[in-house]
Amino acid sequence: MPERPVITLSLSTLLTLLLTGLALILLWQLRWLLVVLMVAVVIAATLAPAVNTAERWGLPRWLAVIGVYFALLSLLVGFGVIIGPTVAEQIQRLLRKLPAYLEVLANVLENLSIRWGLTEPDTWAYLESLFNLQSLTTWGLRTSRDLLVRSYSLTRGLVGGVLSTLLAIILSGYMLTGSESLIRGLVQLFPTPWDSQLAAQVRPVSQRMGGYIQGRILVSAILGVAISLGLNFLGLSEFALGLGVIAGFTNLIPFFGPVLGSIPALIVAIAQGGWLFLWVLLLFVIIQNIETYVLDPLLVGNTVQVPPILQLLAVLGGAQVLGIIGALIVPPWVAGSLVVLDNLYIQPKLKAQDSQNLPPVDDSPHPSLPLSS
């Protein structure tokens, strides 16, 4: 009868497992702080090129950081003062008229169902339930609540979210100011030669993460302006700026953001009647194709080099775990992780394979050539 294998655990293995378990529990308890650190790293990577440029102009690094943050704050306040009141007024007007617009949408669907012969009570009841104001409101609130709950559970509510944002900004400023000493202190925790290899990855990782956010912000701004101008040209000047701002903000989330941003404009276009719905739909289709095939490859894809499937998984996974915050910050972290994976694993592996496949070098002299005397 064969003997059963005996599994033995040494004391060091048990201590390692115990410490690992305690570390995981500690990280779970500090998940709010970890998310704040993740946001801070993304902000620092996004603003690093501007800080480096200001430093090259002769400013001390701490003063360059303060100048960049002050310029960014001034830009945001300026936009808020110039277009903020108009955007707020248009969005409030849209919310007041939304129930009437949804009622018009329901009537349009009812007329289409009659024209197409879908007059069965069960069919119409199903369509009415899909586009009923109460059903739409319930679905939207439930979906938004699920995303916000995941975010608020980390930030501990609205006040916690504001404080978390301020803390992330302060931490990112500290990271930008003392980046060299901070990186030197972190990499010293790893043994040789990992310390030098990891230190060499900081700049490309920062460029990849910052490039992703910079590209998404630039693309979203361009799309917001284009949609506002297009809707104004098509006759929706009453809501053009507000709808453009909504589309620009939602476009920060890849894949799903553009679709979400087009829904309010399409509902308004249906309520206006005529051919306006088709023209607005055509406008969004054209703009989204320009984004997909022109703007994203030029402003995001060339600097980030993340396959679309990984971006999609990053958005889905981030939204599932961290809500809206995760949908925004997880993709740049995936982009930065791919740099480390490529430089420290894939490229050395390919070089090792190439060196093994090379034919051996013959150092003996060629027989047809006489040896020198």
Side-chain angles (χ1 to χ4, degrees):
M1 183 176 181
E3 296 182 358
R4 294 181 179 180
V6 179
I7 300 177
T8 58
L9 293 176
S10 62
L11 181 59
S12 60
T13 303
L14 289 175
L15 289 176
T16 302
L17 292 175
L18 179 61
L19 292 176
T20 302
L22 292 176
L24 292 176
I25 295 174
L26 180 61
L27 290 176
W28 175 254
Q29 295 297 325
L30 297 177
R31 60 190 183 278
W32 165 77
L33 181 58
L34 293 178
V35 173
V36 172
L37 287 174
M38 291 175 65
V39 175
V41 171
V42 171
I43 296 175
T46 304
L47 300 180
V51 173
N52 294 335
T53 300
E55 188 179 21
R56 285 195 294 268
W57 289 347
L59 294 177
R61 190 164 182 86
W62 65 270
L63 186 58
V65 172
I66 294 176
V68 168
Y69 276 91
F70 181 77
L72 182 61
L73 180 62
S74 302
L75 184 64
L76 294 177
V77 172
F79 273 109
V81 171
I82 294 173
I83 68 173
T86 304
V87 171
E89 179 186 357
Q90 291 187 2
I91 292 178
Q92 290 177 0
R93 191 186 310 132
L94 176 61
L95 293 176
R96 289 195 301 267
K97 293 186 176 182
L98 185 59
Y101 289 161
L102 291 175
E103 185 176 352
V104 173
L105 176 59
N107 294 331
V108 170
L109 291 174
E110 183 178 3
N111 294 331
L112 289 176
S113 65
I114 295 174
R115 183 180 302 175
W116 293 340
L118 302 176
T119 56
E120 293 81 359
D122 294 339
T123 303
W124 172 241
Y126 175 71
L127 292 175
E128 188 177 17
S129 67
L130 286 178
F131 295 94
N132 181 267
L133 174 60
Q134 184 177 359
S135 301
L136 283 173
T137 304
T138 303
W139 176 83
L141 290 177
R142 184 173 61 251
T143 305
S144 302
R145 181 196 61 193
D146 292 340
L147 292 175
L148 291 175
V149 162
R150 296 188 184 98
S151 301
Y152 280 12
S153 64
L154 295 168
T155 58
R156 298 182 175 88
L158 181 60
V159 176
V162 174
L163 294 178
S164 299
T165 303
L166 293 176
L167 179 59
I169 294 174
I170 294 173
L171 288 176
S172 65
Y174 174 76
M175 293 176 184
L176 288 170
T177 304
S179 57
E180 293 184 0
S181 59
L182 182 62
I183 293 169
R184 191 182 309 112
L186 289 176
V187 299
Q188 285 178 353
L189 299 175
F190 295 89
T192 306
W194 284 99
D195 52 353
S196 59
Q197 293 179 354
L198 290 174
Q201 308 308 313
V202 173
R203 183 176 295 275
V205 168
S206 175
Q207 292 175 347
R208 188 73 63 90
M209 297 177 68
Y212 178 89
I213 297 297
Q214 294 160 12
R216 288 244 57 90
I217 292 176
L218 187 55
V219 169
S220 298
I222 294 174
L223 262 64
V225 173
I227 290 173
S228 296
L229 295 176
L231 293 177
N232 187 72
F233 176 77
L234 293 176
L236 292 179
S237 57
E238 184 181 7
F239 306 107
L241 188 58
L243 292 173
V245 170
I246 292 174
F249 272 106
T250 57
N251 194 77
L252 291 172
I253 302 176
F255 301 103
F256 305 105
V259 178
L260 295 176
S262 65
I263 292 176
L266 293 175
I267 293 176
V268 174
I270 290 177
Q272 300 292 333
W275 291 89
L276 185 59
F277 171 77
L278 294 178
W279 286 116
V280 173
L281 179 61
L282 181 62
L283 171 67
F284 275 93
V285 170
I286 292 174
I287 290 178
Q288 294 307 322
N289 276 275
I290 293 175
E291 177 197 4
T292 302
Y293 298 106
V294 179
L295 296 179
D296 271 349
L298 288 177
L299 302 177
V300 182
N302 289 341
T303 57
V304 176
Q305 299 176 359
V306 178
I309 184 63
L310 290 183
Q311 292 189 43
L312 176 60
L313 293 176
V315 172
L316 292 175
Q320 183 68 27
V321 178
L322 302 176
I324 298 175
I325 298 176
L328 294 175
I329 67 170
V330 171
W333 273 92
V334 171
S337 301
L338 289 179
V339 176
V340 178
L341 180 65
D342 184 63
N343 291 341
L344 297 185
Y345 176 72
I346 296 179
Q347 293 301 328
K349 179 181 177 181
L350 293 177
K351 290 180 180 179
Q353 291 177 350
D354 292 340
S355 62
Q356 291 176 359
N357 295 331
L358 289 176
V361 180
D362 188 6
D363 296 333
S364 60
H366 198 279
S368 61
L369 297 178
L371 295 174
S372 57
S373 56

